[in-house]
Amino acid sequence: MQQPSPVPDSAAPLVDVVDLSVRFVSKDATVHAVNGVSFQLTAGEVLCILGESGSGKSVTMRALLRLLPETARISGQVRVDGRDVIAMAGNELARLRGGVASMIFQEPMTALDPVFTVGQQIAETIVRHEGTSWAEAEKRGLELLELVQIPSAKRRLASYPHELSGGLRQRAMIAMALSCRPRLLLADEPTTALDATVQIQILLLLRRLQEDLGMGVIFVTHDLGVAGEIADRVAVMYAGRFIETGPVVDLMEGPLHPYTQGLLGSTVHGGMRGQRLTAIPGSPPSLSELPTGCAFAPRCPQAMDVCQTSEPTERKPRPDRTARCVLVEESIQAA
Amino acid sequence: MSDTPRTRVQGTQGRSVLLDVRGLRKHFPIRGGILNRVIGTVQAVDNVSFAVREGETLGIVGESGCGKSTTARLLMHLIEPDDGTITFDGRVVDKRDRAALRDMRRVLQMVFQDSYSSLNPRLPIEETIAFAPWVHGIPKREARDRAHRLLGAVGLEPATFARRYPHELSGGQRQRVNIARALALEPRVVVLDEPVSALDKSVEAQVLNLLVDLKDAFRLTYVFISHDLNVVQYVSDRVLVMYLGKVVEVGPVDQIYANPRHPYTRALLASRPSMNPRQRTTEAPLTGDPPNPINPPSGCRFRTRCAFAEGVCSTAEPRLAASDAVGGGLDAHMVACHMLAPDSGHSKTVLASNTA
Ligand SMILES: Nc1ncnc2c1ncn2[C@@H]1O[C@H](COP(=O)(O)OP(=O)(O)OP(=O)(O)O)[C@@H](O)[C@H]1O
Ligand SMILES: Nc1ncnc2c1ncn2[C@@H]1O[C@H](COP(=O)(O)OP(=O)(O)O)[C@@H](O)[C@H]1O
Ligand code: SF4
Ligand code: SF4
Ligand SMILES: [Mg+2]
Ligand SMILES: [Mg+2]
């Protein structure tokens, strides 16, 4: 049985985000999609962003590569591999995307071009980013398909994306994302649309690739079980904020924030038959009219007066854990 | 967990069969090419039989495309089977028997996954719920009162929600409306096709609690379809596992989850994320994707992914048969695999006699 790897603490961060906010401004409304997110990712670490639909997971991740539409207003600081992403010009951004950092999606066809074969697309990426010869790039393409365990890889290089089954297409997209040996892989629910027996194959593949290639990975999911299989560290997102972070084992065994506790109680798993689920009442707030105070207060069984008036600051009960809830005590600094 | 088995499970054992399905078949022709000729057949549902007792929940699980929704649509007579019979409360439902069909359309109701597209966007939800009772001859006023009572029963305060339109509701609230609408004709059976799959976890739990409550309050029988094995385990009394249009295993929920016998069921259960980060999954139970449902493999349809496949698996189709000494009857644990049929010619049939 395998356990999450310990997080190296001395290395310089691969990703450094300070007070990131993203708003979408239009005539009718302002959507506060991300509201002050700060975190660091070390090289070789897997961070899962866990949250329900609309909580801001995808927008947070896209902001790291500035893959957001014109209407997005980004503030805060984002550094990837030491470089300031917010200040980057267009050509620098293009080099970043698919170079140092690349991204995979739930729907592989967002990343694959239907009119070119898998082999052509991979080779093209390699030639563009690294200026190798076409022959050299094609050779790497074959190695990549073998790396992601596509059977009869040679033959598959000549396949068009639509000729592949769901699982193979997902593998082809991963191969493409790895083509320039990224140090950072951003994965946005890459297994959500897959059947159970295929999902576990892709999760195990990603975990192995991450270890072998030493990549840092940010993995977005709404599924606690998926996070349990792949994360070193988990950040729980609610209404555009990281409301709790911590190592995966600690967080799943001892959640601190009432929302995380509710999420664990709501997640059906074996052995819950006959028990009433401890559902969280209500539904997440609209991001165009965020409540003042704690965004979870309208649904929180433990809410108090103070929760309605001011947004709880981030507490650090232990060096490796954070929570935004007034019930969580700040640790007393040991002498 | 050492929770005592729910009384519900035992309570249904003596009850009569409400829905009896025999040899159901639905094949869809696939057309293609410039002449639009039939180039293949999707055997969406192929010789499927099962029974549902009054008051129980039958769970149906399987991966995408295995025929779950097609089975549901056949049960509802939204599509006609190529072959097979559906008996409801002792009466064979035949499309030529208009009266039987009309009765059945009332007492059998369905809830779909997509909460949005199954509601009329231009009607306030109280009217959506009251519509069917009104069509069935209930005075408008009374139908609206019933709609309000049902809104209350599904946890939507009528004073706040009755006049709202679907787009003014969250996904979880819309699914509650769909459930209220399904209950408006006082059905006996509700077929739920992935009723919580589109919902967030925190809302999924609310709707599951609600479905359990309503079942008791209105003495309902459920056919609960889902690809989520954990949810099916939570709600079901008995479980039916499908693969490429076939039933591969069926039995009481505890049997299926504690002692799965079909290699596919075992793999499916083992594919669930572990929920314990200290004990992660180290090996994927199956390789590859489910095969194309057009022209599926001969013999056992699972043989292309089965670690135990042998010659006999490609030449003969395994029959669904009782897997243990408990024998037949509704609570039998039935499996369709040559390894569990003593005289099949499969070299590993010992598996069966060992544990029986
Ligand atoms: N009208 C149709 N014409 C052609 N093929 C169809 C039709 N309806 C269903 N099918 C095919 O029949 C098979 C079974 O479909 P069905 O919708 O029952 O699957 P399912 O088990 O509900 O899957 P999911 O989990 O994706 O909802 C699939 O291969 C599907 O593509
Ligand atoms: N291009 C956009 N324009 C306006 N609002 C957007 C846009 N993209 C995302 N949003 C909104 O931002 C919020 C967070 O979205 P997202 O990050 O996609 O959520 P998720 O956690 O499901 O990935 C949602 O309210 C969403 O509707
Ligand atoms: S701050 Fe208050 S409302 Fe928010 S989670 Fe904590 S107790 Fe609940
Ligand atoms: S019949 Fe053969 S191929 Fe099918 S499940 Fe049994 S052993 Fe595997
Ligand atoms: Mg998203
Ligand atoms: Mg379906």
Side-chain angles (χ1 to χ4, degrees), chain B residues 14-72:
Chain B
R15 304 258 187 94
S16 57
V17 169
L18 199 52
L19 198 56
D20 193 24
V21 173
R22 295 275 166 87
L24 211 54
R25 198 180 73 203
K26 184 73 188 177
H27 291 185
F28 295 105
I30 298 298
R31 292 173 184 280
I34 33 171
L35 296 175
N36 207 28
R37 272 193 301 222
V38 175
I39 53 168
T41 322
V42 181
Q43 304 188 7
V45 168
D46 203 53
N47 195 17
V48 163
S49 303
F50 59 89
V52 189
R53 276 202 199 91
E54 175 130 50
E56 80 172 345
T57 298
L58 176 75
I60 303 184
V61 284
E63 295 177 280
S64 161
C66 70
K68 305 183 295 296
S69 298
T70 304
T71 304

Side-chain angles (χ1 to χ4, degrees), chain B residues 96-294:
Chain B
R96 281 156 302 189
D97 184 348
R98 298 238 153 237
L101 199 58
R102 200 174 49 237
D103 284 356
M104 207 209 55
R105 287 229 162 104
R106 191 173 59 74
V107 293
L108 220 70
Q109 292 291 324
M110 184 156 170
V111 174
F112 299 89
Q113 168 174 354
D114 183 351
S115 65
Y116 207 83
S117 67
S118 41
L119 293 174
N120 185 334
R122 281 181 297 276
L123 283 187
I125 58 175
E126 65 172 356
E127 287 179 34
T128 293
I129 300 168
F131 184 74
W134 177 66
V135 168
H136 278 77
I138 292 175
K140 236 180 177 148
R141 171 103 201 216
E142 207 176 301
R144 216 189 45 217
D145 288 348
R146 184 184 286 185
H148 285 205
R149 273 200 309 281
L150 285 167
L151 279 173
V154 298
L156 297 174
E157 179 52 49
T160 315
F161 290 99
R163 299 300 302 166
R164 290 217 191 157
Y165 291 84
H167 74 266
E168 298 172 314
L169 301 175
S170 70
Q173 290 167 341
R174 274 197 301 270
Q175 202 56 307
R176 286 168 188 269
V177 174
N178 272 311
I179 293 165
R181 187 190 52 174
L183 298 180
L185 290 172
E186 299 172 339
R188 295 171 68 189
V189 181
V190 184
V191 177
L192 301 134
D193 189 1
E194 305 268 7
V196 293
S197 303
L199 304 177
D200 278 322
K201 287 293 164 203
S202 69
V203 180
E204 173 184 280
Q206 295 168 13
V207 174
L208 288 175
N209 281 338
L210 173 70
L211 287 171
V212 170
D213 292 345
L214 293 174
K215 182 164 179 261
D216 291 341
F218 294 92
R219 296 198 299 177
L220 299 168
T221 301
Y222 285 159
V223 175
F224 190 104
I225 294 172
S226 178
H227 68 279
D228 186 328
L229 291 145
N230 291 324
V231 168
V232 165
Q233 180 178 21
Y234 180 75
V235 300
S236 306
D237 298 313
R238 288 191 305 124
V239 175
L240 184 97
V241 185
M242 292 185 73
Y243 188 78
L244 285 185
K246 294 276 184 190
V247 178
V248 297
E249 185 159 4
V250 59
V253 62
D254 296 331
Q255 281 292 312
I256 298 288
Y257 282 79
N259 186 23
R261 307 297 289 277
H262 195 283
Y264 175 65
T265 312
R266 291 184 181 195
L268 196 58
L269 287 170
S271 297
R272 288 182 292 180
S274 85
M275 291 305 289
N276 178 0
R278 290 180 194 272
Q279 293 197 338
R280 292 180 163 177
T281 310
T282 45
E283 216 176 317
L286 292 182
T287 54
D289 297 63
N292 194 329
I294 302 173

